[in-house]
């Protein structure tokens, strides 16, 4: 049972890292694009990137708030 939980945790961490990478690329593409994007889309991507960044710090890099 512990092996299954460890495997599930690893899969979740891989998914989190992948999602963070995709959102970072999307944020980069939007910020460097010659095509204008709706402000709402830009805000949503920025908020999602911030949330995923916080989760990466806590759950992948083991960085505590304020450090």
């Amino acid at each position: 049972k512990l092996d299954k939980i460890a495997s599930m945790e690893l899969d979740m961490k891989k998914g989190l890292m992948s999602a963070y990478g995709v959102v970072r690329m999307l944020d980069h593409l939007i910020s460097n694009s010659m095509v204008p994007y709706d402000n709402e889309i830009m805000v949503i991507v920025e908020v999602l990137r911030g949330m995923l960044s916080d989760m990466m710090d806590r759950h992948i890099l083991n960085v505590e708030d304020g450090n």
Side-chain angles (χ1 to χ4, degrees), residues 15-44:
L16 176 60
M17 289 186 289
S18 296
Y20 181 60
V22 169
V23 169
R24 284 192 57 159
M25 287 189 298
L26 181 59
D27 187 37
H28 179 75
L29 289 172
I30 288 172
S31 65
N32 292 319
S33 176
M34 300 296 244
V35 177
Y37 284 86
D38 289 339
N39 191 48
E40 292 84 8
I41 299 296
M42 294 169 55
V43 170
I44 289 170

Side-chain angles (χ1 to χ4, degrees), residues 2-66:
L2 288 177
D3 288 340
K4 183 177 180 181
I5 292 170
S7 176
M8 289 172 58
E9 179 185 22
L10 183 61
D11 286 342
M12 290 174 63
K13 286 181 176 182
K14 287 178 183 178
L16 176 60
M17 289 186 289
S18 296
Y20 181 60
V22 169
V23 169
R24 284 192 57 159
M25 287 189 298
L26 181 59
D27 187 37
H28 179 75
L29 289 172
I30 288 172
S31 65
N32 292 319
S33 176
M34 300 296 244
V35 177
Y37 284 86
D38 289 339
N39 191 48
E40 292 84 8
I41 299 296
M42 294 169 55
V43 170
I44 289 170
V45 169
E46 290 172 4
V47 169
L48 181 57
R49 182 177 178 183
M51 290 171 56
L52 288 171
S53 180
D54 289 344
M55 292 180 71
M56 285 287 295
D57 287 346
R58 281 183 293 176
H59 301 293
I60 305 297
L61 303 174
N62 297 318
V63 175
E64 297 295 324
D65 289 339

